[in-house]
Amino acid sequence: MSNPLPTLTVREWIQAGAAKFEQAGVWFGHGSDNAHDEAAELVFFAAGLRHEDAASVYNQPVSAEQAARINELFEKRIHQRVPAAYLTHRMWFAGHEFYVDERALVPRSPIAELIEARFEPWIRRDRIRTLLDIGTGSGCIAIAAALALPAVRVDASDVSPEALEVAKINIARFALEERVRAVQSDVFEGLASARYDVIVSNPPYVGDEEMAQLPHEYSREPRMALHSGSDGLDVTRRILLGAREHMSDGGILIVEVGNSEMALQESYPDVPFMWLEFERGGGGVFVLTAEELEAYFGEK
Ligand SMILES: C[S@@+](CC[C@H](N)C(=O)[O-])C[C@H]1O[C@@H](n2cnc3c(N)ncnc32)[C@H](O)[C@@H]1O
């Protein structure tokens, strides 16, 4: 028979979890960047507590039942390297809580900040009527944009039918079926002749070399959500080549390429990519206007 778990407070469980995570060399790259926050999310979830109540519940004792649930999540986090969001099936993005599972990437794109700013100053918010999110995964970018811009119609596209199932769960959760359409499409191939004022994408952008070195936690995510050819830029090149044909005059393209920023700039040395800075961290996101796309990649 295993030893009963000691009676500890919420705070003590968080401290114990954080210490275990650090000792085990767990990787934090899926929403939290430190052991304390990761442990806190698992403890609060397993104990059925709300983060808003943190101050009043920190010194509360954890029951034997709650302790068993917390312990089980800690074990999975450490020994199976499952990112916390896949254990709790939830992740916050642009201030909204999304359902997540292993069919779609864990939301974490810095594009959340652009959505919160309603894409200003890159395009006037009242200028946006239609938006396309390529590689929507859980639907987080498409849905957060629809919530930030209540008059906008959004196409949430992905080549993966499994990811689209997750996106549909979130579209229904936010009751956005009237304005957000989940579309299966290989980049632009399933979109006929539609044109959009904003095309936004967090496509797969990891190359062979970086892929081989990723911490184990990333292998829990769909490979096609991460890997994109030897230099990580296969999908991005297709987006650049096809975007103008699917964009209205005065529209903009926003794409995240993360660590592949240098490789992209070297591939297209003349293209005036506008690389954005973010208050909450992250980078490798560029903006190009319709005019720039036309000048450098052709096809209006
Ligand atoms: C990095 S994930 C981004 C998911 C989500 N937009 C987010 O930010 O959390 C990339 C997504 O692109 C999708 N994808 C990969 N190749 C694609 C392609 N050729 N056409 C459309 N989507 C693609 C993957 O299935 C995955 O959902």
PDB file of all heavy atoms in Angstrom, residues 105-109 133-138 140-141 157-160 163 185-187 202-204 224-226 235 238, ligand 1:
ATOM      1  N   LEU A 105      -2.376  22.761 -31.248  1.00  0.00           N
ATOM      2  CA  LEU A 105      -1.296  23.408 -30.498  1.00  0.00           C
ATOM      3  C   LEU A 105      -1.844  24.129 -29.260  1.00  0.00           C
ATOM      4  O   LEU A 105      -2.957  24.659 -29.289  1.00  0.00           O
ATOM      5  CB  LEU A 105      -0.641  24.455 -31.409  1.00  0.00           C
ATOM      6  CG  LEU A 105       0.666  25.069 -30.915  1.00  0.00           C
ATOM      7  CD1 LEU A 105       1.850  24.296 -31.516  1.00  0.00           C
ATOM      8  CD2 LEU A 105       0.783  26.542 -31.301  1.00  0.00           C
ATOM      9  N   VAL A 106      -1.058  24.179 -28.194  1.00  0.00           N
ATOM     10  CA  VAL A 106      -1.436  24.965 -27.014  1.00  0.00           C
ATOM     11  C   VAL A 106      -1.293  26.457 -27.374  1.00  0.00           C
ATOM     12  O   VAL A 106      -0.218  26.896 -27.775  1.00  0.00           O
ATOM     13  CB  VAL A 106      -0.521  24.634 -25.809  1.00  0.00           C
ATOM     14  CG1 VAL A 106      -0.862  25.541 -24.631  1.00  0.00           C
ATOM     15  CG2 VAL A 106      -0.633  23.164 -25.424  1.00  0.00           C
ATOM     16  N   PRO A 107      -2.362  27.247 -27.258  1.00  0.00           N
ATOM     17  CA  PRO A 107      -2.287  28.678 -27.628  1.00  0.00           C
ATOM     18  C   PRO A 107      -1.233  29.430 -26.808  1.00  0.00           C
ATOM     19  O   PRO A 107      -1.170  29.279 -25.587  1.00  0.00           O
ATOM     20  CB  PRO A 107      -3.687  29.203 -27.276  1.00  0.00           C
ATOM     21  CG  PRO A 107      -4.577  28.006 -27.288  1.00  0.00           C
ATOM     22  CD  PRO A 107      -3.711  26.862 -26.816  1.00  0.00           C
ATOM     23  N   ARG A 108      -0.395  30.212 -27.499  1.00  0.00           N
ATOM     24  CA  ARG A 108       0.620  31.005 -26.810  1.00  0.00           C
ATOM     25  C   ARG A 108       1.197  32.097 -27.701  1.00  0.00           C
ATOM     26  O   ARG A 108       2.232  32.681 -27.396  1.00  0.00           O
ATOM     27  CB  ARG A 108       1.756  30.097 -26.319  1.00  0.00           C
ATOM     28  CG  ARG A 108       2.373  29.215 -27.439  1.00  0.00           C
ATOM     29  CD  ARG A 108       3.462  28.328 -26.894  1.00  0.00           C
ATOM     30  NE  ARG A 108       4.038  27.402 -27.853  1.00  0.00           N
ATOM     31  CZ  ARG A 108       3.548  26.189 -28.152  1.00  0.00           C
ATOM     32  NH1 ARG A 108       2.442  25.770 -27.571  1.00  0.00           N
ATOM     33  NH2 ARG A 108       4.171  25.419 -29.016  1.00  0.00           N
ATOM     34  N   SER A 109       0.562  32.368 -28.833  1.00  0.00           N
ATOM     35  CA  SER A 109       1.159  33.294 -29.791  1.00  0.00           C
ATOM     36  C   SER A 109       1.129  34.732 -29.271  1.00  0.00           C
ATOM     37  O   SER A 109       0.118  35.191 -28.726  1.00  0.00           O
ATOM     38  CB  SER A 109       0.373  33.232 -31.113  1.00  0.00           C
ATOM     39  OG  SER A 109       0.773  34.276 -31.955  1.00  0.00           O
ATOM     40  N   ASP A 133      -7.776  33.478 -40.668  1.00  0.00           N
ATOM     41  CA  ASP A 133      -6.716  32.939 -39.800  1.00  0.00           C
ATOM     42  C   ASP A 133      -6.268  31.617 -40.425  1.00  0.00           C
ATOM     43  O   ASP A 133      -7.036  30.644 -40.448  1.00  0.00           O
ATOM     44  CB  ASP A 133      -7.284  32.728 -38.387  1.00  0.00           C
ATOM     45  CG  ASP A 133      -6.309  32.024 -37.459  1.00  0.00           C
ATOM     46  OD1 ASP A 133      -5.090  32.057 -37.724  1.00  0.00           O
ATOM     47  OD2 ASP A 133      -6.773  31.447 -36.452  1.00  0.00           O
ATOM     48  N   ILE A 134      -5.037  31.590 -40.947  1.00  0.00           N
ATOM     49  CA  ILE A 134      -4.520  30.362 -41.590  1.00  0.00           C
ATOM     50  C   ILE A 134      -3.815  29.510 -40.537  1.00  0.00           C
ATOM     51  O   ILE A 134      -2.907  29.986 -39.850  1.00  0.00           O
ATOM     52  CB  ILE A 134      -3.521  30.711 -42.716  1.00  0.00           C
ATOM     53  CG1 ILE A 134      -4.193  31.553 -43.796  1.00  0.00           C
ATOM     54  CG2 ILE A 134      -2.923  29.432 -43.315  1.00  0.00           C
ATOM     55  CD1 ILE A 134      -3.234  32.054 -44.874  1.00  0.00           C
ATOM     56  N   GLY A 135      -4.203  28.248 -40.411  1.00  0.00           N
ATOM     57  CA  GLY A 135      -3.604  27.361 -39.404  1.00  0.00           C
ATOM     58  C   GLY A 135      -4.183  27.698 -38.041  1.00  0.00           C
ATOM     59  O   GLY A 135      -3.483  27.984 -37.083  1.00  0.00           O
ATOM     60  N   THR A 136      -5.489  27.625 -37.955  1.00  0.00           N
ATOM     61  CA  THR A 136      -6.190  28.153 -36.769  1.00  0.00           C
ATOM     62  C   THR A 136      -6.015  27.289 -35.520  1.00  0.00           C
ATOM     63  O   THR A 136      -6.179  27.770 -34.399  1.00  0.00           O
ATOM     64  CB  THR A 136      -7.688  28.347 -37.108  1.00  0.00           C
ATOM     65  OG1 THR A 136      -8.285  29.220 -36.164  1.00  0.00           O
ATOM     66  CG2 THR A 136      -8.466  27.020 -37.119  1.00  0.00           C
ATOM     67  N   GLY A 137      -5.681  26.001 -35.676  1.00  0.00           N
ATOM     68  CA  GLY A 137      -5.487  25.127 -34.507  1.00  0.00           C
ATOM     69  C   GLY A 137      -6.725  25.112 -33.627  1.00  0.00           C
ATOM     70  O   GLY A 137      -7.834  24.783 -34.081  1.00  0.00           O
ATOM     71  N   SER A 138      -6.570  25.533 -32.380  1.00  0.00           N
ATOM     72  CA  SER A 138      -7.699  25.584 -31.441  1.00  0.00           C
ATOM     73  C   SER A 138      -8.719  26.665 -31.802  1.00  0.00           C
ATOM     74  O   SER A 138      -9.774  26.742 -31.173  1.00  0.00           O
ATOM     75  CB  SER A 138      -7.172  25.894 -30.036  1.00  0.00           C
ATOM     76  OG  SER A 138      -6.567  27.183 -30.050  1.00  0.00           O
ATOM     77  N   CYS A 140      -7.935  29.859 -31.536  1.00  0.00           N
ATOM     78  CA  CYS A 140      -7.750  30.959 -30.577  1.00  0.00           C
ATOM     79  C   CYS A 140      -7.613  32.326 -31.249  1.00  0.00           C
ATOM     80  O   CYS A 140      -8.235  33.304 -30.796  1.00  0.00           O
ATOM     81  CB  CYS A 140      -6.567  30.681 -29.648  1.00  0.00           C
ATOM     82  SG  CYS A 140      -5.001  30.423 -30.497  1.00  0.00           S
ATOM     83  N   ILE A 141      -6.828  32.417 -32.338  1.00  0.00           N
ATOM     84  CA  ILE A 141      -6.616  33.726 -32.979  1.00  0.00           C
ATOM     85  C   ILE A 141      -7.916  34.184 -33.656  1.00  0.00           C
ATOM     86  O   ILE A 141      -8.357  35.325 -33.484  1.00  0.00           O
ATOM     87  CB  ILE A 141      -5.443  33.647 -33.990  1.00  0.00           C
ATOM     88  CG1 ILE A 141      -4.112  33.473 -33.225  1.00  0.00           C
ATOM     89  CG2 ILE A 141      -5.406  34.872 -34.895  1.00  0.00           C
ATOM     90  CD1 ILE A 141      -2.896  33.263 -34.110  1.00  0.00           C
ATOM     91  N   SER A 157      -9.165  28.691 -40.735  1.00  0.00           N
ATOM     92  CA  SER A 157      -8.836  27.579 -41.625  1.00  0.00           C
ATOM     93  C   SER A 157      -7.673  26.758 -41.092  1.00  0.00           C
ATOM     94  O   SER A 157      -6.784  27.283 -40.413  1.00  0.00           O
ATOM     95  CB  SER A 157      -8.508  28.110 -43.027  1.00  0.00           C
ATOM     96  OG  SER A 157      -7.203  28.618 -43.049  1.00  0.00           O
ATOM     97  N   ASP A 158      -7.708  25.480 -41.426  1.00  0.00           N
ATOM     98  CA  ASP A 158      -6.598  24.601 -41.048  1.00  0.00           C
ATOM     99  C   ASP A 158      -6.623  23.409 -41.995  1.00  0.00           C
ATOM    100  O   ASP A 158      -7.694  22.995 -42.457  1.00  0.00           O
ATOM    101  CB  ASP A 158      -6.743  24.115 -39.598  1.00  0.00           C
ATOM    102  CG  ASP A 158      -5.400  23.751 -38.970  1.00  0.00           C
ATOM    103  OD1 ASP A 158      -4.778  22.767 -39.436  1.00  0.00           O
ATOM    104  OD2 ASP A 158      -4.967  24.442 -38.036  1.00  0.00           O
ATOM    105  N   VAL A 159      -5.449  22.852 -42.260  1.00  0.00           N
ATOM    106  CA  VAL A 159      -5.399  21.661 -43.109  1.00  0.00           C
ATOM    107  C   VAL A 159      -5.761  20.410 -42.296  1.00  0.00           C
ATOM    108  O   VAL A 159      -6.146  19.395 -42.851  1.00  0.00           O
ATOM    109  CB  VAL A 159      -3.994  21.543 -43.773  1.00  0.00           C
ATOM    110  CG1 VAL A 159      -2.949  21.071 -42.770  1.00  0.00           C
ATOM    111  CG2 VAL A 159      -4.028  20.647 -45.001  1.00  0.00           C
ATOM    112  N   SER A 160      -5.662  20.509 -40.973  1.00  0.00           N
ATOM    113  CA  SER A 160      -5.885  19.348 -40.107  1.00  0.00           C
ATOM    114  C   SER A 160      -7.346  19.246 -39.660  1.00  0.00           C
ATOM    115  O   SER A 160      -7.846  20.112 -38.927  1.00  0.00           O
ATOM    116  CB  SER A 160      -4.978  19.471 -38.866  1.00  0.00           C
ATOM    117  OG  SER A 160      -5.506  18.707 -37.802  1.00  0.00           O
ATOM    118  N   ALA A 163      -7.558  19.310 -35.809  1.00  0.00           N
ATOM    119  CA  ALA A 163      -7.457  20.650 -35.212  1.00  0.00           C
ATOM    120  C   ALA A 163      -8.782  21.394 -35.382  1.00  0.00           C
ATOM    121  O   ALA A 163      -9.262  22.075 -34.460  1.00  0.00           O
ATOM    122  CB  ALA A 163      -6.312  21.439 -35.853  1.00  0.00           C
ATOM    123  N   SER A 185      -8.575  23.804 -45.228  1.00  0.00           N
ATOM    124  CA  SER A 185      -7.874  24.375 -46.369  1.00  0.00           C
ATOM    125  C   SER A 185      -6.369  24.198 -46.201  1.00  0.00           C
ATOM    126  O   SER A 185      -5.822  24.455 -45.125  1.00  0.00           O
ATOM    127  CB  SER A 185      -8.207  25.874 -46.477  1.00  0.00           C
ATOM    128  OG  SER A 185      -7.497  26.456 -47.542  1.00  0.00           O
ATOM    129  N   ASP A 186      -5.719  23.767 -47.287  1.00  0.00           N
ATOM    130  CA  ASP A 186      -4.264  23.689 -47.319  1.00  0.00           C
ATOM    131  C   ASP A 186      -3.779  25.072 -47.765  1.00  0.00           C
ATOM    132  O   ASP A 186      -3.877  25.404 -48.950  1.00  0.00           O
ATOM    133  CB  ASP A 186      -3.859  22.581 -48.304  1.00  0.00           C
ATOM    134  CG  ASP A 186      -2.357  22.404 -48.371  1.00  0.00           C
ATOM    135  OD1 ASP A 186      -1.626  23.138 -47.683  1.00  0.00           O
ATOM    136  OD2 ASP A 186      -1.918  21.519 -49.136  1.00  0.00           O
ATOM    137  N   VAL A 187      -3.341  25.876 -46.849  1.00  0.00           N
ATOM    138  CA  VAL A 187      -3.042  27.306 -47.056  1.00  0.00           C
ATOM    139  C   VAL A 187      -4.260  27.940 -47.741  1.00  0.00           C
ATOM    140  O   VAL A 187      -5.321  28.000 -47.116  1.00  0.00           O
ATOM    141  CB  VAL A 187      -1.696  27.522 -47.789  1.00  0.00           C
ATOM    142  CG1 VAL A 187      -1.308  29.008 -47.793  1.00  0.00           C
ATOM    143  CG2 VAL A 187      -0.576  26.740 -47.066  1.00  0.00           C
ATOM    144  N   ASN A 202      -0.341  32.030 -37.590  1.00  0.00           N
ATOM    145  CA  ASN A 202       0.764  31.476 -36.803  1.00  0.00           C
ATOM    146  C   ASN A 202       0.960  30.074 -37.379  1.00  0.00           C
ATOM    147  O   ASN A 202       0.442  29.100 -36.855  1.00  0.00           O
ATOM    148  CB  ASN A 202       0.383  31.428 -35.319  1.00  0.00           C
ATOM    149  CG  ASN A 202       1.420  30.691 -34.483  1.00  0.00           C
ATOM    150  OD1 ASN A 202       2.564  30.508 -34.914  1.00  0.00           O
ATOM    151  ND2 ASN A 202       1.024  30.254 -33.297  1.00  0.00           N
ATOM    152  N   PRO A 203       1.682  30.005 -38.512  1.00  0.00           N
ATOM    153  CA  PRO A 203       1.805  28.703 -39.186  1.00  0.00           C
ATOM    154  C   PRO A 203       2.873  27.857 -38.506  1.00  0.00           C
ATOM    155  O   PRO A 203       3.582  28.355 -37.628  1.00  0.00           O
ATOM    156  CB  PRO A 203       2.275  29.116 -40.591  1.00  0.00           C
ATOM    157  CG  PRO A 203       3.126  30.317 -40.334  1.00  0.00           C
ATOM    158  CD  PRO A 203       2.485  31.045 -39.171  1.00  0.00           C
ATOM    159  N   PRO A 204       3.021  26.582 -38.899  1.00  0.00           N
ATOM    160  CA  PRO A 204       4.172  25.839 -38.404  1.00  0.00           C
ATOM    161  C   PRO A 204       5.435  26.523 -38.939  1.00  0.00           C
ATOM    162  O   PRO A 204       5.442  26.959 -40.091  1.00  0.00           O
ATOM    163  CB  PRO A 204       3.988  24.452 -39.025  1.00  0.00           C
ATOM    164  CG  PRO A 204       3.075  24.635 -40.184  1.00  0.00           C
ATOM    165  CD  PRO A 204       2.223  25.822 -39.870  1.00  0.00           C
ATOM    166  N   MET A 224       2.591  18.418 -37.281  1.00  0.00           N
ATOM    167  CA  MET A 224       2.287  19.333 -38.386  1.00  0.00           C
ATOM    168  C   MET A 224       1.964  20.761 -37.898  1.00  0.00           C
ATOM    169  O   MET A 224       1.884  21.682 -38.709  1.00  0.00           O
ATOM    170  CB  MET A 224       1.131  18.806 -39.241  1.00  0.00           C
ATOM    171  CG  MET A 224      -0.201  18.884 -38.547  1.00  0.00           C
ATOM    172  SD  MET A 224      -1.523  18.045 -39.451  1.00  0.00           S
ATOM    173  CE  MET A 224      -1.296  18.632 -41.078  1.00  0.00           C
ATOM    174  N   ALA A 225       1.792  20.928 -36.602  1.00  0.00           N
ATOM    175  CA  ALA A 225       1.581  22.278 -36.059  1.00  0.00           C
ATOM    176  C   ALA A 225       2.910  22.994 -35.848  1.00  0.00           C
ATOM    177  O   ALA A 225       2.949  24.216 -35.675  1.00  0.00           O
ATOM    178  CB  ALA A 225       0.820  22.203 -34.734  1.00  0.00           C
ATOM    179  N   LEU A 226       4.002  22.227 -35.868  1.00  0.00           N
ATOM    180  CA  LEU A 226       5.317  22.804 -35.573  1.00  0.00           C
ATOM    181  C   LEU A 226       6.247  22.810 -36.786  1.00  0.00           C
ATOM    182  O   LEU A 226       6.858  23.819 -37.114  1.00  0.00           O
ATOM    183  CB  LEU A 226       5.993  22.006 -34.441  1.00  0.00           C
ATOM    184  CG  LEU A 226       5.263  21.991 -33.093  1.00  0.00           C
ATOM    185  CD1 LEU A 226       5.893  20.960 -32.158  1.00  0.00           C
ATOM    186  CD2 LEU A 226       5.312  23.377 -32.445  1.00  0.00           C
ATOM    187  N   VAL A 235       5.424  26.576 -45.308  1.00  0.00           N
ATOM    188  CA  VAL A 235       4.057  27.119 -45.296  1.00  0.00           C
ATOM    189  C   VAL A 235       4.101  28.647 -45.434  1.00  0.00           C
ATOM    190  O   VAL A 235       3.313  29.252 -46.174  1.00  0.00           O
ATOM    191  CB  VAL A 235       3.273  26.685 -44.031  1.00  0.00           C
ATOM    192  CG1 VAL A 235       1.913  27.372 -43.968  1.00  0.00           C
ATOM    193  CG2 VAL A 235       3.082  25.165 -44.020  1.00  0.00           C
ATOM    194  N   ARG A 238       4.411  29.789 -48.985  1.00  0.00           N
ATOM    195  CA  ARG A 238       3.145  29.659 -49.723  1.00  0.00           C
ATOM    196  C   ARG A 238       2.179  30.780 -49.330  1.00  0.00           C
ATOM    197  O   ARG A 238       1.415  31.286 -50.161  1.00  0.00           O
ATOM    198  CB  ARG A 238       2.529  28.285 -49.467  1.00  0.00           C
ATOM    199  CG  ARG A 238       3.367  27.163 -50.114  1.00  0.00           C
ATOM    200  CD  ARG A 238       2.796  25.803 -49.776  1.00  0.00           C
ATOM    201  NE  ARG A 238       1.419  25.667 -50.201  1.00  0.00           N
ATOM    202  CZ  ARG A 238       0.573  24.760 -49.715  1.00  0.00           C
ATOM    203  NH1 ARG A 238       0.964  23.919 -48.774  1.00  0.00           N
ATOM    204  NH2 ARG A 238      -0.660  24.700 -50.157  1.00  0.00           N
TER     205      ARG A 238
HETATM  206  C1  LIG B   1       1.680  26.776 -34.869  1.00  0.00           C
HETATM  207  S1  LIG B   1       0.074  26.021 -35.056  1.00  0.00           S
HETATM  208  C2  LIG B   1      -0.935  27.435 -34.682  1.00  0.00           C
HETATM  209  C3  LIG B   1      -2.285  27.121 -34.102  1.00  0.00           C
HETATM  210  C4  LIG B   1      -3.047  28.360 -33.615  1.00  0.00           C
HETATM  211  N1  LIG B   1      -3.260  29.305 -34.689  1.00  0.00           N
HETATM  212  C5  LIG B   1      -2.328  29.020 -32.459  1.00  0.00           C
HETATM  213  O1  LIG B   1      -1.764  30.104 -32.660  1.00  0.00           O
HETATM  214  O2  LIG B   1      -2.326  28.469 -31.356  1.00  0.00           O
HETATM  215  C6  LIG B   1      -0.001  25.856 -36.810  1.00  0.00           C
HETATM  216  C7  LIG B   1      -1.297  25.326 -37.380  1.00  0.00           C
HETATM  217  O3  LIG B   1      -1.164  25.307 -38.809  1.00  0.00           O
HETATM  218  C8  LIG B   1      -1.769  24.139 -39.320  1.00  0.00           C
HETATM  219  N2  LIG B   1      -1.162  23.839 -40.628  1.00  0.00           N
HETATM  220  C9  LIG B   1      -0.037  23.164 -40.902  1.00  0.00           C
HETATM  221  N3  LIG B   1       0.169  23.104 -42.237  1.00  0.00           N
HETATM  222  C10 LIG B   1      -0.865  23.776 -42.822  1.00  0.00           C
HETATM  223  C11 LIG B   1      -1.239  24.037 -44.167  1.00  0.00           C
HETATM  224  N4  LIG B   1      -0.491  23.611 -45.196  1.00  0.00           N
HETATM  225  N5  LIG B   1      -2.381  24.735 -44.397  1.00  0.00           N
HETATM  226  C12 LIG B   1      -3.155  25.159 -43.355  1.00  0.00           C
HETATM  227  N6  LIG B   1      -2.858  24.931 -42.058  1.00  0.00           N
HETATM  228  C13 LIG B   1      -1.721  24.251 -41.798  1.00  0.00           C
HETATM  229  C14 LIG B   1      -1.519  23.083 -38.265  1.00  0.00           C
HETATM  230  O4  LIG B   1      -2.451  22.024 -38.365  1.00  0.00           O
HETATM  231  C15 LIG B   1      -1.647  23.904 -36.975  1.00  0.00           C
HETATM  232  O5  LIG B   1      -2.969  23.873 -36.485  1.00  0.00           O
END
